[in-house]
Amino acid sequence: MKLSNSESAIAKFYSEYPFPNVAIYKKQDLYKTLIYELIYGLSKKYLDKYKNKKIKILDAGCGTGELSLGLADGRRDILGVDINKKSLKIAKSRALKFKITSVKFSEFDFAKADLPKDHYDFIFSIGVLHHTEKPEKNFSRLVEALKIGGYITIGIYNPFGSLKVRLKRGILKILAGDNFEKKIEIYRRLFYRRELSISEKVAVADAFANPYRRYYTFEQLLKWFERNNIQFLDSAPSIELSKNIKLIKVIFKNILAGKKVSLMSIWQDIVYKHEPVKKWEISKPVSFLTQLSWSVIGRGELINMIGRKMK
Ligand SMILES: C[S@@+](CC[C@H](N)C(=O)[O-])C[C@H]1O[C@@H](n2cnc3c(N)ncnc32)[C@H](O)[C@@H]1O
């Protein structure tokens, strides 16, 4: 099937920079990757509902497989699909290395070919849809593959949480045009002043040299959910202003005390509390303020939202 210009630019980009390609030396490292911590934290409560059941999971746009492999527990039958052969090769070699047989990886373009209908109990698609040509349509395609009562978690760039990244992307575009390597080199010199590890280089490339990405507000994504009969359950970063204010207070307290604490450990206590989201917190002026606060807390670039298929 013929790819459009933006689709081939994305395919070319990820074959040069398979993402996230985090260094995994031992199996335990799978549970320490950012993607695993971020997404497992958000989805745990709902995955736990299936504790003793066999379930089918799809990781659409699985990249180098960190999330799919981290989720493997023997009972979960997991399929990671991606359009990028290089990423899949890395993912497969990891499955082999750690003898994980309940996860399969396959080359598949879910924007072009149909997935089986009403098939999966859980679908993850993190950092993917905003790189496709028709993000909402492709979201609907994933929802069609989800069983009624099943859960979907998507990660999408947010225009407010991405303010700093967008500014830097603009500056790099002026300095280096469309030259990926030049952009990465300028960024390295300005912000690292040392050699980058593979995953750091890939992360910098993904943020600043990726040729095609779009941004969606929380309200726009909520509309996707509504139009596709998905009930919104929770998000990370949290869409609740009260939680973000708490978070900002704890972050500043630690800074003032000179303590270095990882953001994810603070999130465990505040963002991943899993109480039902209060209605007023997702009403428009409040949710707008919350999204602005994401540019302060960090990790606000990607909003990860989980929902349940109602019919
Ligand atoms: C930013 S990476 C995210 C990887 C992984 N989900 C993560 O968060 O670590 C985006 C991935 O989506 C894949 N991708 C983009 N469009 C796709 C499509 N239509 N079907 C399958 N994979 C796709 C890319 O090849 C790339 O590996």
Side-chain angles (χ1 to χ4, degrees):
M1 206 171 283
K2 200 175 166 341
L3 294 180
S4 68
N5 286 346
S6 54
E7 285 168 333
S8 19
I10 278 297
K12 181 170 176 285
F13 175 81
Y14 281 114
S15 61
E16 276 178 52
Y17 303 102
F19 184 93
N21 209 0
V22 179
I24 308 284
Y25 301 107
K26 47 187 191 314
K27 201 171 175 185
Q28 278 310 102
D29 295 340
L30 287 170
Y31 315 117
K32 293 184 201 136
T33 65
L34 177 63
I35 166 111
Y36 179 78
E37 284 194 327
L38 197 61
I39 302 307
Y40 183 65
L42 176 64
S43 316
K44 182 181 182 306
K45 174 179 164 187
Y46 307 100
L47 279 166
D48 282 352
K49 293 195 172 175
Y50 297 100
K51 240 183 183 152
N52 299 311
K53 284 190 195 144
K54 270 190 141 331
I55 56 167
K56 285 190 168 40
I57 297 181
L58 174 73
D59 184 3
C62 61
T64 46
E66 285 77 351
L67 179 65
S68 299
L69 294 167
L71 288 172
D73 70 349
R75 276 173 303 103
R76 298 179 186 146
D77 178 6
I78 302 171
L79 175 65
V81 298
D82 206 286
I83 47 171
N84 180 2
K85 286 192 178 66
K86 270 201 195 160
S87 296
L88 291 167
K89 197 172 165 199
I90 296 171
K92 282 179 188 171
S93 74
R94 287 171 168 173
L96 215 62
K97 180 172 173 189
F98 300 120
K99 300 187 175 58
I100 300 176
T101 54
S102 56
V103 185
K104 300 277 177 283
F105 292 103
S106 176
E107 190 181 341
F108 187 85
D109 182 344
F110 70 86
K112 293 273 183 303
D114 285 339
L115 290 157
K117 303 250 183 295
D118 300 321
H119 188 74
Y120 295 98
D121 300 283
F122 238 102
I123 296 183
F124 296 90
S125 191
I126 311 302
V128 183
L129 291 165
H130 49 222
H131 294 307
T132 66
E133 274 216 324
K134 295 182 178 139
E136 183 176 354
K137 184 161 182 242
N138 294 329
F139 174 68
S140 304
R141 293 174 75 91
L142 293 179
V143 172
E144 276 177 23
L146 190 64
K147 288 181 188 165
I148 292 173
Y151 296 89
I152 183 161
T153 304
I154 55 168
I156 306 278
Y157 288 135
N158 179 268
F160 304 104
S162 295
L163 280 175
K164 277 184 267 175
V165 173
R166 289 167 67 196
L167 185 68
K168 287 177 183 169
R169 274 175 73 91
I171 295 169
L172 289 173
K173 174 98 182 163
I174 294 168
L175 296 177
D178 288 329
N179 185 330
F180 293 175
E181 285 298 327
K182 200 168 165 192
K183 281 186 188 176
I184 297 166
E185 181 52 20
I186 295 175
Y187 194 83
R188 184 193 71 77
R189 284 206 198 155
L190 287 176
F191 296 101
Y192 285 87
R193 298 201 192 97
R194 61 168 169 80
E195 284 310 305
L196 302 180
S197 69
I198 292 179
S199 61
E200 282 172 341
K201 188 171 176 186
V202 167
V204 171
D206 195 48
F208 304 110
N210 196 315
Y212 188 75
R213 50 147 68 182
R214 284 191 236 175
Y215 303 87
Y216 290 88
T217 62
F218 171 77
E219 293 77 12
Q220 286 172 313
L221 298 178
L222 206 55
K223 286 257 155 55
W224 288 14
F225 273 37
E226 280 165 17
R227 287 194 280 262
N228 287 278
N229 297 314
I230 300 290
Q231 179 199 7
F232 168 69
L233 296 168
D234 207 351
S235 75
S238 173
I239 192 59
E240 294 175 83
L241 189 61
S242 51
K243 282 188 182 173
N244 287 285
I245 291 172
K246 243 191 233 172
L247 204 61
I248 290 172
K249 275 189 193 159
V250 175
I251 292 170
F252 278 105
K253 228 178 177 177
N254 279 308
I255 292 175
L256 290 176
K259 274 199 222 158
K260 235 187 155 186
V261 190
S262 87
L263 186 63
M264 290 317 286
S265 68
I266 308 176
W267 274 34
Q268 291 304 335
D269 300 332
I270 299 174
V271 178
Y272 296 139
K273 268 277 174 256
H274 293 308
E275 301 118 353
V277 174
K278 290 165 225 78
K279 268 242 161 80
W280 69 269
E281 300 248 31
I282 56 174
S283 62
K284 227 176 199 163
V286 182
S287 62
F288 172 72
L289 269 181
T290 307
Q291 288 170 87
L292 271 181
S293 78
W294 291 347
S295 55
V296 182
I297 58 159
R299 298 272 162 251
E301 193 194 347
L302 195 73
I303 174 171
N304 300 287
M305 289 171 58
I306 183 163
R308 185 164 197 223
K309 185 168 172 176
M310 302 314 285
K311 52 180 182 182

